[in-house]
Amino acid sequence: MPTYWKKCNLIQFAAHKNHIGLYPKVEAIEAFSNQLQDYKIQKGTIQLPYDQPLPLKLIAEIAQWCEKE
């Protein structure tokens, strides 16, 4: 599973049958919960379906947040 790492695990991602799984810190999901309402989320997981455009700006914001925290 590809991982962005900077002294600790910042964010991971993986391809699945029907979605891309994005795995930031649980606190990141809580911090961005208002912006993630259109996606299926679970503890530590954001599911980005293939039939929707990737929210690249949101992904970048989450990754930057994880790096700062």
Side-chain angles (χ1 to χ4, degrees):
M1 183 180 308
T3 301
Y4 286 96
W5 179 272
K6 187 174 182 181
K7 298 183 183 178
C8 67
N9 177 16
L10 297 178
I11 195 166
Q12 299 173 299
F13 58 95
H16 297 279
K17 183 178 179 180
N18 297 313
H19 67 275
I20 294 173
L22 188 66
Y23 308 96
K25 297 176 180 181
V26 174
E27 297 85 2
I29 293 174
E30 294 168 358
F32 288 88
S33 62
N34 290 340
Q35 297 172 350
L36 295 170
Q37 293 178 355
D38 294 337
Y39 305 99
K40 184 174 180 181
I41 57 174
Q42 297 175 338
K43 185 177 180 180
T45 306
I46 303 166
Q47 293 183 5
L48 306 169
Y50 290 125
D51 62 355
Q52 295 179 15
L54 278 177
L56 297 177
K57 183 178 177 185
L58 178 58
I59 293 169
E61 289 174 5
I62 293 171
Q64 290 169 350
W65 185 94
C66 288
E67 181 180 14
K68 289 178 185 175
E69 299 298 314

